[in-house]
Amino acid sequence: MSSGEFVSKCTADSLAQAAQLLKDGGLVALPTETVYGLGADATNQNAVSRIYKVKGRPADHPLIVHIHSMQSLDDWADEVPSYAISLARDFWPGPMTLVLKRSILAENFVTGGQPTVGLRVPDHAVALALLSAFEKIGGKGIAAPSANRFGHVSPTTAQAVQEELGECLEERDQILDGGPSAVGVESTIIDCTSDSPRILRPGAITIQMIEESTHLKVSKAETDIRVSGSLENHYAPQASVFLNRTPKPGEGFIALAEIQTPESVIRLASPKNIEEFARLIYSALRAADAKGLNSVVVAEPTGDGLALAIRDRLMRASKGR
Ligand code: TXA
Ligand code: MG
């Protein structure tokens, strides 16, 4: 059992090494602005199959391919509609994944057998530098799901990745430390395979932003999804998560700073606004487990936009409790 090399300062040299490791079939956990990803060469079947093994993820769940810029869109996707180009232009690099008709480069082992591929340009200096170094040596894209065990809380720090997956990685694999993720919840996933965009998973790129960019109506709500994040019992810590009730003594509590902590309740986070709520939510849920708490109560933020994405994750983490 080994733990993967923890790279705390990502220099040009270390990123060139990490890119080479990807090319050689190794796994590299990388920071992004949403959450940390567990990366592999998206064209290497053996490497990609290791992602599924390390995560314990079912093989028919597709992975997002991360690319360096929208120039690589046509490598991976066919028949890209013009509204998808608008979205890419307006929001990449950024917390948005576009689901498009796949090209021959996107094979079944990365798309989970679907005729589409999910593509994203992440907005993080380390991720972009790694993608650029990978491209320089012939790499086409990095397949990367969130770097957690299947169903668990996504990691927003390199330390959280090590706790989640350390023992499942090989010695040569790497975990790149790029600091805490700035957004904190996963990308908005937009299905771009029909006449108008459809949100498959809400995130920091909101319905309003999509409609302003495309001048189209977002056609369906975010509920009827087939993606793994849509399963119940996802994004869940060991502790039971309860929503919007008064916490009892000994329970954990996550709420906006303006909400008081009842007596003998363990306050896990007091974000001052919705953005900070998103940034802190996963580390606060992890803290509940680190403290050995049995249950944690979350007072959900109201409103749409990013608050909607937070409520989507909490609903699944709480299994509807
Ligand atoms: O912010 C993010 O998107 C992070 C960072 C690392 O980029 N990644 C992430 O990956 O959240 P993952 O695998 O944990 O969640 C991606 C979701 C999955 O639920 C998957 O089913 C869905 O995206 N997905 C990927 N490709 C798809 C496709 N072709 N069609 C429909 N859903 C797709
Ligand atoms: Mg995930």
Side-chain angles (χ1 to χ4, degrees):
M1 212 170 271
S2 48
S3 69
E5 187 194 350
F6 193 93
V7 183
S8 54
K9 287 215 177 65
C10 296
T11 60
D13 274 356
S14 61
L15 289 168
Q17 263 179 38
Q20 190 58 51
L21 174 62
L22 287 170
K23 208 82 187 81
D24 296 339
L27 300 185
V28 175
L30 66 149
T32 86
E33 82 282 27
T34 57
V35 300
Y36 274 66
L38 178 64
D41 178 348
T43 64
N44 180 330
Q45 181 161 16
N46 285 333
V48 169
S49 72
R50 278 199 57 223
I51 289 184
Y52 286 89
K53 203 164 129 220
V54 167
K55 272 190 67 103
R57 174 172 170 138
D60 58 349
H61 288 237
L63 300 178
I64 295 170
V65 176
H66 297 71
I67 52 180
H68 179 253
S69 75
M70 67 184 280
Q71 273 180 313
S72 308
L73 243 180
D74 291 334
D75 289 344
W76 288 96
D78 282 341
E79 299 166 28
V80 180
S82 59
Y83 73 81
I85 306 279
S86 300
L87 290 168
R89 198 184 51 213
D90 288 350
F91 304 123
W92 277 349
M96 176 185 76
T97 296
L98 299 181
V99 170
L100 294 156
K101 185 163 182 267
R102 69 175 174 177
S103 73
I104 49 164
L105 192 58
E107 296 194 59
N108 282 333
F109 61 78
V110 80
T111 71
Q114 306 213 47
T116 55
V117 62
L119 296 173
R120 178 163 111 83
V121 179
D123 187 13
H124 190 293
V126 169
L128 288 171
L130 177 66
L131 282 160
S132 158
F134 188 53
E135 243 179 40
K136 273 203 191 103
I137 56 174
K140 292 286 190 188
I142 301 177
S146 53
N148 50 277
R149 297 279 301 165
F150 185 65
H152 286 194
V153 180
S154 302
T156 51
T157 64
Q159 289 74 19
V161 175
Q162 193 160 46
E163 285 159 24
E164 274 283 319
L165 301 180
E167 357 186 276
C168 308
L169 295 176
E170 288 176 6
E171 214 171 311
R172 65 173 178 151
D173 297 333
Q174 292 189 347
I175 300 171
L176 304 182
D177 183 1
S181 297
V183 175
V185 293
E186 300 81 353
S187 61
T188 306
I189 302 181
I190 308 170
D191 178 357
C192 300
T193 59
S194 47
D195 292 344
S196 58
R198 231 168 51 101
I199 293 194
L200 300 183
R201 180 176 70 184
I205 301 300
T206 63
I207 292 175
Q208 194 191 345
M209 291 160 83
I210 298 166
E211 291 187 339
E212 272 169 22
S213 166
T214 62
H215 306 291
L216 292 168
K217 199 100 195 98
V218 173
S219 68
K220 286 246 176 85
E222 65 279 355
T223 42
D224 55 339
I225 334 173
R226 280 176 315 163
V227 300
S228 55
S230 73
L231 298 174
E232 281 195 5
N233 194 8
H234 222 76
Y235 313 110
Q238 300 295 323
S240 302
V241 177
F242 296 90
L243 303 178
N244 309 324
R245 67 154 168 76
T246 307
K248 301 187 211 91
E251 287 189 319
F253 188 42
I254 300 167
L256 282 166
E258 67 213 35
I259 302 174
Q260 301 277 314
T261 312
E263 194 157 346
S264 306
V265 161
I266 299 134
R267 189 67 176 242
L268 296 167
S270 307
K272 287 183 281 305
N273 51 44
I274 305 291
E275 285 71 29
E276 196 177 12
F277 207 119
R279 203 150 56 231
L280 295 183
I281 185 64
Y282 287 147
S283 59
L285 292 174
R286 283 176 186 281
D289 286 345
K291 290 179 193 294
L293 304 183
N294 291 323
S295 52
V296 46
V297 176
V298 188
E300 292 183 300
T302 55
D304 47 18
L306 194 53
L308 190 83
I310 297 169
R311 290 200 303 276
D312 168 76
R313 307 309 191 272
L314 286 171
M315 187 258 291
R316 300 177 207 293
S318 71
K319 299 169 211 131
R321 273 188 203 102

